[in-house]
Amino acid sequence: AGRAYGAGKGGKTTSPMMQGAVRAGAEGRALPWSAAESNARAGSAERAYLGGTMPRDNMASLIQRVAKQARITFRGPAPGPGFGENLHRLQQLLNEVRAEDLHLAPRGPAAVPGAGCSRAGAGVGAAAGAVPPVSYMHICETESFSMGVFLLRSGACIPLHDHPGMNGMLKVLYGSLRIACLDPLPPAAPPGARRRALLRSRQLYTPASPPCLLSPHTDNLHQIDAVDGPAAFLDILAPPYDPENGRDCHYYRLLEAPAGPAADPPALPREVWLLETPQAADFWCGGEPYPGPKVSP
């Protein structure tokens, strides 16, 4: 999600793109879906919850428990005693979250014209009034972590990007995502130069899958593709993006020719070459209100 994830100190996003996305959500200007539609969904879900028709108990507090555990897990500038145990507990809580816990329902199957991640990284541009391929719901943010929901329309892709010095957790709420994870390899490359990386995995994630995890050194680069329809995932980044403190997002292009239709996929993990690129013209992020339970981290 690159800059789409970005949020800075005091709950103010540092990315210009996400400033608009979060501001649109806060003001009720939902993109690409209307505030009225989002509020209607939220009201319907709340009425169902109050009427006792939701399939799970204690849903209103589950996302609050996730936020509290995230604050405990990432409270220090560096992993300290008990970090592994706290991270495992956070992973367990995150694995329990379902779309209905956040008053979300799968969206329609409308595709994104021209969307997708080409290996060449070329963008088609965003026409005036075009529907964003990705939309973001901001939930909460502290100095130590940020949490929100990303919604990908059918065919959408969050291009290959990094998370400098950050931990992350991603839990699919509905739909299917194919996530490619890479590790940067030394030495660090200057801007505009090729750099080595290890392509570790390319896996399919669904709501039944455990969270996808990244650390400052493992699976730190990834690309996210919606597969066979729209998808949504809950995202935690710790600490949040902050360009002023060296945590800016960078996008990359994988320098390898696509395999032919009859060729077997290359074995993983394997070493690859990457080239840093600007944000693709066909990737941008809209914003809409978060309809779920309130969270006080």
Side-chain angles (χ1 to χ4, degrees):
R3 297 182 186 276
Y5 286 84
K9 299 178 179 179
K12 297 181 180 179
T13 58
T14 57
S15 162
M17 179 175 65
M18 276 309 297
Q19 286 174 1
V22 175
R23 184 166 57 250
E27 295 174 357
R29 296 185 291 105
L31 290 175
W33 300 278
S34 70
E37 183 179 357
S38 297
N39 291 337
R41 284 194 176 97
S44 175
E46 186 67 22
R47 286 192 297 272
Y49 170 69
L50 294 175
T53 60
M54 286 297 208
R56 283 150 45 83
D57 295 329
N58 203 28
M59 289 186 298
S61 65
L62 178 55
I63 192 63
Q64 175 66 65
R65 287 157 53 202
V66 170
K68 180 180 179 182
Q69 185 62 38
R71 178 169 54 82
I72 294 171
T73 303
F74 303 115
R75 57 191 164 191
F83 175 77
E85 182 179 346
N86 284 324
L87 186 67
H88 180 65
R89 176 57 181 156
L90 177 58
Q91 183 179 359
Q92 289 179 317
L93 282 172
L94 197 62
N95 196 44
E96 296 178 19
V97 180
R98 301 292 181 264
E100 60 263 29
D101 297 338
L102 307 184
H103 302 172
L104 298 176
R107 301 288 171 82
V112 182
C117 287
S118 65
R119 292 189 182 273
V124 297
V131 175
V134 177
S135 189
Y136 180 72
M137 294 177 172
H138 178 71
I139 297 179
C140 68
E141 180 183 328
T142 71
E143 291 282 344
S144 59
F145 79 96
S146 62
M147 183 164 64
V149 174
F150 283 89
L151 304 104
L152 285 73
R153 293 174 68 84
S154 181
C157 166
I158 298 176
L160 181 61
H161 61 280
D162 63 1
H163 308 80
M166 302 156 70
N167 291 280
M169 309 182 81
L170 179 163
K171 179 65 174 72
V172 176
L173 299 173
Y174 64 75
S176 299
L177 297 175
R178 189 171 303 281
I179 305 177
C181 295
L182 300 89
D183 294 349
L185 295 175
R194 296 188 309 165
R195 69 173 304 170
R196 296 190 310 137
L198 185 68
L199 178 56
R200 290 170 52 88
S201 63
R202 186 181 282 123
Q203 298 183 23
L204 188 69
Y205 286 82
T206 71
S209 305
C212 176
L213 308 181
L214 64 91
S215 78
H217 306 291
T218 304
D219 295 336
N220 192 266
L221 291 83
H222 62 207
Q223 175 173 308
I224 305 171
D225 293 84
V227 179
D228 297 330
F233 65 90
L234 179 62
D235 182 74
I236 297 175
L237 284 180
Y241 279 110
D242 186 352
E244 294 181 1
N245 288 309
R247 295 193 304 274
D248 200 1
C249 175
H250 309 88
Y251 293 93
Y252 297 92
R253 175 162 55 99
L254 189 62
L255 298 177
E256 65 176 13
D264 293 330
L268 299 179
R270 72 176 188 275
E271 188 173 313
V272 296
W273 287 94
L274 304 177
L275 183 65
E276 186 175 346
T277 65
Q279 180 175 316
D282 59 350
F283 170 67
W284 76 106
C285 188
E288 61 180 282
Y290 162 66
K294 292 183 179 180
V295 172
S296 300

